[in-house]
């Protein structure tokens, strides 16, 4: 038995820098999360640093922003927060877009909050990407839909899951789904 284990392929040993390069921490790009500073540019710089199979990490804090760069041409992306609030300071349309050139994006543990007090087409997440999962998030004060999943007349989006999220004070639908082939909302 032990000889078989010794001869089998063991775990691949990677350096700490290789493992850390897979995690893009927004604070490493200048985001403060202090609830006072506009962190838009810093977060967008972190988004630009993403590669396939990487994680965009938001440590605890309140990150003020006016809209975030789209996620494009990437796959297997995890966007994760740890007691992190992304606070939209304007009634912007399509606050964060996941383009159809991307796939397998997971968003978890983030509080999406905003200033929505009147209906103004402000969508927190606009999803065109295939196989997207949004879980354990909170969406508040959106000036329209919290999440819109719709390829606007193009080919259907393949697979969408939304579970264990909280929607509060959105001025449109919590989740608006159209033209999706296979979705699950719990």
């Amino acid at each position: 038995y032990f000889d078989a284990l010794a001869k089998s392929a063991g775990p691949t040993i990677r350096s700490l820098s290789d493992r850390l390069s897979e995690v893009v921490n927004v604070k490493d790009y200048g985001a403060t999360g202090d609830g006072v500073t506009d962190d838009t540019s810093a977060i967008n710089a972190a988004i630009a640093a993403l590669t396939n199979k990487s994680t965009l990490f938001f440590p605890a804090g309140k990150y003020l922003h006016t809209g975030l760069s789209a996620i494009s041409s990437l796959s297997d992306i995890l966007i994760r927060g740890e007691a992190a609030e992304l606070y939209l300071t304007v009634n912007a349309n399509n606050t964060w877009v996941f383009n159809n050139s991307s796939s397998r994006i997971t968003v978890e543990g983030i509080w999406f909050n905003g200033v929505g007090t009147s209906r103004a087409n402000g969508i927190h997440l606009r999803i065109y990407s295939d196989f997207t999962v949004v879980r354990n998030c909170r969406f508040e004060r959106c000036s329209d839909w919290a999440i819109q999943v719709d390829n606007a007349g193009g080919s259907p989006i393949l697979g969408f899951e939304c579970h264990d999220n909280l929607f509060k004070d959105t001025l449109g639908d919590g989740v608006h789904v159209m033209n999706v082939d296979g979705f699950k909302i719990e």
Side-chain angles (χ1 to χ4, degrees):
Y1 175 77
F2 292 106
D3 287 336
L5 282 177
K7 292 177 184 176
S8 69
T12 301
I13 306 301
R14 298 182 308 132
S15 70
L16 180 59
S17 63
D18 283 345
R19 287 183 281 163
L20 289 175
S21 71
E22 295 172 1
V23 177
V24 178
N25 186 320
V26 297
K27 288 199 171 187
D28 291 340
Y29 290 82
T32 64
D34 64 7
V36 177
T37 305
D38 181 348
D39 287 322
T40 304
S41 295
I43 295 169
N44 286 337
I47 292 169
L50 290 173
T51 59
N52 291 331
K53 300 179 181 179
S54 61
T55 297
L56 179 63
F57 179 64
F58 291 87
K62 182 176 182 176
Y63 299 88
L64 303 182
H65 70 93
T66 57
L68 303 176
S69 297
I71 303 286
S72 298
S73 302
L74 294 171
S75 64
D76 301 298
I77 299 298
L78 172 61
I79 301 168
R80 184 172 175 275
E82 185 173 285
E85 176 184 357
L86 295 182
Y87 191 88
L88 180 63
T89 59
V90 296
N91 277 332
N93 191 24
N94 296 336
T95 308
W96 204 354
V97 175
F98 301 160
N99 282 324
N100 61 1
S101 61
S102 292
S103 65
R104 294 182 302 278
I105 298 173
T106 300
V107 182
E108 67 181 20
I110 295 177
W111 176 12
F112 294 90
N113 199 356
V115 297
T117 57
S118 64
R119 193 154 184 185
N121 296 324
I123 299 167
H124 282 314
L125 291 179
R126 177 69 186 257
I127 298 171
Y128 299 105
S129 56
D130 291 335
F131 308 112
T132 301
V133 177
V134 181
R135 64 178 171 228
N136 300 316
C137 291
R138 180 177 176 164
F139 296 87
E140 269 190 82
R141 284 182 288 286
C142 182
S143 62
D144 205 342
W145 304 319
I147 302 172
Q148 181 179 8
V149 187
D150 179 9
N151 204 9
S155 58
I157 294 169
L158 303 175
F160 170 71
E161 289 187 31
C162 180
H163 48 90
D164 299 318
N165 297 294
L166 172 68
F167 300 92
K168 183 178 178 198
D169 297 329
T170 62
L171 299 174
D173 301 340
V175 181
H176 185 87
V177 177
M178 291 178 57
N179 199 17
V180 177
D181 187 3
F183 66 91
K184 181 179 185 179
I185 298 174
E186 306 185 298

